[in-house]
Amino acid sequence: MKTSNTILIFFTLSLLFSSSFGAVQDFCVADLSGPQGPAGYSCKNANKVTVDDFVYHGLAAKGNTTNIIKAAVTTAFDSQFPGVNGLGISLARADLAPGGVIPFHTHPGGTEILILLEGTLCAGFVSSSANQVFFKTLNKGDVMVFPQGLLHFQLNSGKGEALFFVGFNSPNPGLQLLDFALFKNNLPTELVAAATFLDVAQIKKLKGVLGGTG
Amino acid sequence: MKTSNTILIFFTLSLLFSSSFGAVQDFCVADLSGPQGPAGYSCKNANKVTVDDFVYHGLAAKGNTTNIIKAAVTTAFDSQFPGVNGLGISLARADLAPGGVIPFHTHPGGTEILILLEGTLCAGFVSSSANQVFFKTLNKGDVMVFPQGLLHFQLNSGKGEALFFVGFNSPNPGLQLLDFALFKNNLPTELVAAATFLDVAQIKKLKGVLGGTG
Amino acid sequence: MKTSNTILIFFTLSLLFSSSFGAVQDFCVADLSGPQGPAGYSCKNANKVTVDDFVYHGLAAKGNTTNIIKAAVTTAFDSQFPGVNGLGISLARADLAPGGVIPFHTHPGGTEILILLEGTLCAGFVSSSANQVFFKTLNKGDVMVFPQGLLHFQLNSGKGEALFFVGFNSPNPGLQLLDFALFKNNLPTELVAAATFLDVAQIKKLKGVLGGTG
Amino acid sequence: MKTSNTILIFFTLSLLFSSSFGAVQDFCVADLSGPQGPAGYSCKNANKVTVDDFVYHGLAAKGNTTNIIKAAVTTAFDSQFPGVNGLGISLARADLAPGGVIPFHTHPGGTEILILLEGTLCAGFVSSSANQVFFKTLNKGDVMVFPQGLLHFQLNSGKGEALFFVGFNSPNPGLQLLDFALFKNNLPTELVAAATFLDVAQIKKLKGVLGGTG
Amino acid sequence: MKTSNTILIFFTLSLLFSSSFGAVQDFCVADLSGPQGPAGYSCKNANKVTVDDFVYHGLAAKGNTTNIIKAAVTTAFDSQFPGVNGLGISLARADLAPGGVIPFHTHPGGTEILILLEGTLCAGFVSSSANQVFFKTLNKGDVMVFPQGLLHFQLNSGKGEALFFVGFNSPNPGLQLLDFALFKNNLPTELVAAATFLDVAQIKKLKGVLGGTG
Amino acid sequence: MKTSNTILIFFTLSLLFSSSFGAVQDFCVADLSGPQGPAGYSCKNANKVTVDDFVYHGLAAKGNTTNIIKAAVTTAFDSQFPGVNGLGISLARADLAPGGVIPFHTHPGGTEILILLEGTLCAGFVSSSANQVFFKTLNKGDVMVFPQGLLHFQLNSGKGEALFFVGFNSPNPGLQLLDFALFKNNLPTELVAAATFLDVAQIKKLKGVLGGTG
């Protein structure tokens, strides 16, 4: 390849392929102010996308665990981390003080994979077909997968703190905490009782704790 | 759990999880006036969504069967029932007077499952691989499934009225009625003839019935 | 078209298209004895498929509601109705005696659409984003949709019996009943307590009712 | 990088990454004799896959157009070309003698894109929403797309031969020829008549041509 | 069917089905000026869609091959051919002068199927699992499939020109040319060297050819 | 609820729901010895599945970084961790000694999300549309997402070791290392040269390092 051809080559190659692909959708960084559809947020103008749209700092700090569950969940879902919009993936971190717990919950829109980085965890899920419980004590470095939509929990079973990260195969898997769904809203106590077989006193107690009414 | 902690607990738990999930996309009720994309309609503002968006009354009444096919189809697709937008599901009801028929048709975008509630039905579909016909007389309570995209029909083969509901795995499966596609538009008669091997007289007759031109 | 050409035409047309499409996969009726994969059951040999594979009689009869929930759910999922395998759809019927209830549950793998055929129903679901309750009294003919993976319930709020059908956008949506997941297995009481904040006495009572141990 | 390190490097790099990925599923060439599932055929043993599994010669030759439609369709679907199994794509060629036609048909499982290589074509499809006809005369080099599941046709409107290729977004899109579905099987004439509004004489005539019975 | 009923029939049938399906989404022609989402462009108003939205003339002409690679790729992706938006399919043509090559590249979002129309081609791809090369000399009429995301190339190995068309199972599969990704941007030379093990001189040479900086 | 009813209740509730759901597919743990299909491995018999199928210990230990890239990648894909089969998710860990690098590579089948746990990383990817480089120095706790199919790299830019985990939205995303694809096989040098524009000497040098032939 002769040097004298370099400029010619540069121009022709550039013209050859570049112009056609202006809208190739390698990614669709969320424009949180635009219209939202079933597949996610509208895309930010590609010309304004920078590397900072693909980097998120919000999981670096430990969450505040001085609360009733002695635990904190911090998420990097599409509404916090617009870069994952449309990419079918997201991440979250969980910090658990001694005795801390992520109570029974589901993710309506995704499977979860967990990697334990610190401490000891008792984690489990329940199958829908046979109500079979799959639970186990996890140690540092252990990985566990929780199939989509099934009830699961994680409990710090060690003496120190526990830290883990979870990945999801959705930019927005959702998180439905059982106690919140049942007791932290205005669903009438008698309806909760009828639909759960829990005692009224139990329901009222937890509604009281969580601020539910009715 | 001491009562004195209740207020503290209420605040910390609320702060802990609530703020992060404002945009979790549990659903995407159609905003019929917003832009539409390949995955469906834009989402209605979540703050304005009420239970009425998820409830539809339009299938309660029997359709008017005083027409040529002695039948009526009433749909609860996304454009009528915005709550199903993005959820991959919809419903329709069919009423057939004695002698009524839902003529050969396809749903380009979905599989159909039928439950017969009243009457007797002769229903069938044709496979594409071997042009094999799968048809059967259904009685009250029978269920039949029609695989996606295949030509099928339902015919009231009893003496009384027939009523059935059909579910689809799409919020908008489409409905392409064979007679309408061939005869209820301006496709020139000679083209219809060439592409169907039907006689010109037959085509003109049905174009006349259905209001087709050309 | 001359009659004398008919036989020739018949042969050439048949040869032209038929041979190539022997394996076109219009459907994949489940072979319940074959290997199962992530997408469903293996397909029954296409040559042995008949219309009876696509018709199911199991939803015609009312379920037995003489039980604690005064209700019965009868399903037409792939393991009962092999014809829906691979077609992304299924159906179930629910019968509720007066006072009957389908307690809080989720379907991990699908959205549900309900059509009420008899009686009066109080039905609702809880969103994951804001723990908002969407519930409403439904009358005959009303349709309601329950987005995938969210906790929901249906309760006979009338004086007579209630009957409804539900469609799913999966041949096997699963059904996770909250009470069964929590109390009908060997998950130790202290773990249930820690992961739900329910009182130990409440848990033991319901474990007793449902046959759970631990 | 010193030459003396080459051998060491070779070994360590090989060990580092290779062993873990023995089953990475870059492709799943169809084992036509193995069990079939909703997602396609079983995969051929990866160790026996060669480049010849990804190359197909069957579209090179012109099809025989000495038949009633004066046309031939030759497919490279998964059952003919096992390399496309699981890859969501396939191809077919069509040859049309003067006056030849690919009559009205649908592909239940895929969208079609056409490129005309020789001759002049009149091609069109009908929308399901409004029975609107979209048809046009295509010339050499023109491309046309036919949305999934909609009735469409292609007709040689020139004086010479026509040749085109079509791509599909499925390894097995299926092909349901309208005339075959209606007239080339044992669906009773009175049922065809009831479900199409065609005259009995017309039906019997085409059943005769195509070898249908009943 | 009596003639006197024709008008009545026309009206009732029209009313029966037509009104409900105004928004059936048979297609979603791209509105290139509207908001874009993860599933593609917004849909053009259905009332303004014509057959010309589904026909593309841009692949009819041979591309200009007087450039360094002696080849030209012309695409019919969604941004050039709005009719394919949302339909999961697209097409491109490639012209190669003698000695021409489409250098190593990937399509991040789709599988490719190739049909060779003129000339002789040496085409191949590399598996990710075992770095196995699958390459072969193709002749006129041969078809080859390139599984999604794998590095592949096509090289004119004959004496004359080569022409082929490629189909994709995405309206926008993307095209990442290896040389462009490495050398036609501002990624610092030392980073390219570290991440490729190529010599600095080699990198600088190709950056010079392609106009890369840093 | 009277105690005397407990046994009755237990039986009726159990009978009511349990029998129907024996095959509900909450998960499909890979049977590595069974047939594989496009959607993944066959499912292990559900009765033999235990919690150990959902837990993986293989990412706990640091990989061996005494190699040319001073880095190690350890994967928890379906072939190592059968529990993720069919669940659309997987995980891997990467250890980088000072100066270590994960060279340019792609994942043909999935998007990657990274969380940096130790050290300092320079990570980046190249868009296909404009060959734009998105790279950035990441610190402990930073998250970065790499869209599906695009070339990317990670380089230890700090003085100490670096450790990160990556999640994928596929149980088997694949890993195509650029250098391995080009130089660690038997693709003839002249073909590599023609398809990359690299100098023959450069190719031979790297083939030598990686054990490629031809």
Side-chain angles (χ1 to χ4, degrees), chain E:
Chain E
M1 192 181 294
K2 296 177 187 172
T3 307
S4 58
N5 284 337
T6 302
I7 293 171
L8 172 65
I9 288 165
F10 166 60
F11 275 105
T12 51
L13 254 187
S14 297
L15 286 169
L16 190 60
F17 289 102
S18 298
S19 60
S20 312
F21 296 97
V24 165
Q25 203 175 24
D26 289 323
F27 40 74
C28 173
V29 174
D31 172 1
L32 298 180
S33 66
Q36 204 172 351
Y41 290 96
S42 296
C43 311
K44 183 175 174 178
N45 185 319
N47 295 327
K48 297 185 179 170
V49 170
T50 72
V51 68
D52 291 322
D53 289 305
F54 301 106
V55 176
Y56 187 61
H57 305 293
L59 301 194
K62 185 187 157 186
N64 183 350
T65 60
T66 54
N67 53 52
I68 185 179
I69 61 169
K70 298 176 184 168
V73 174
T74 313
T75 59
F77 292 178
D78 53 7
S79 53
Q80 297 95 44
F81 181 19
V84 296
N85 185 49
L87 293 180
I89 209 158
S90 62
L91 210 61
R93 83 173 274 163
D95 296 280
L96 290 82
V101 64
I102 312 295
F104 265 116
H105 63 283
T106 59
H107 303 287
T111 283
E112 170 181 331
I113 195 164
L114 175 157
I115 173 92
L116 181 61
L117 299 182
E118 283 177 32
T120 307
L121 208 64
C122 174
F125 67 89
V126 186
S127 75
S128 77
S129 52
N131 304 298
Q132 192 176 354
V133 186
F134 296 92
F135 73 108
K136 179 129 186 164
T137 297
L138 306 179
N139 297 303
K140 185 176 176 177
D142 282 350
V143 172
M144 186 167 179
V145 65
F146 303 88
Q148 174 165 342
L150 298 180
L151 276 164
H152 59 288
F153 67 92
Q154 290 106 1
L155 188 140
N156 185 347
S157 57
K159 293 180 180 172
E161 298 196 331
L163 166 66
F164 62 85
F165 283 85
V166 284
F168 299 96
N169 59 351
S170 163
N172 195 336
L175 166 57
Q176 183 159 56
L177 282 157
L178 179 55
D179 281 319
F180 280 27
L182 297 181
F183 309 122
K184 191 173 181 288
N185 51 42
N186 60 354
L187 188 61
T189 296
E190 64 267 31
L191 274 183
V192 180
T196 61
F197 293 93
L198 294 174
D199 295 338
V200 164
Q202 174 75 88
I203 295 165
K204 288 192 168 168
K205 178 176 172 185
L206 287 167
K207 272 185 175 276
V209 172
L210 293 169
T213 57

Side-chain angles (χ1 to χ4, degrees), chain C residues 16-93:
Chain C
L16 189 61
F17 291 102
S18 298
S19 61
S20 313
F21 296 98
V24 164
Q25 203 175 24
D26 288 324
F27 40 73
C28 174
V29 174
D31 171 1
L32 298 180
S33 67
Q36 204 172 350
Y41 290 97
S42 296
C43 311
K44 184 176 175 178
N45 185 319
N47 294 327
K48 297 185 178 170
V49 170
T50 72
V51 68
D52 292 321
D53 289 305
F54 302 106
V55 176
Y56 188 61
H57 305 293
L59 301 194
K62 184 187 158 186
N64 184 348
T65 61
T66 56
N67 53 50
I68 186 179
I69 60 169
K70 299 176 183 167
V73 174
T74 314
T75 58
F77 292 176
D78 53 6
S79 53
Q80 297 95 44
F81 180 20
V84 296
N85 184 51
L87 292 181
I89 208 158
S90 62
L91 211 59
R93 83 173 272 161

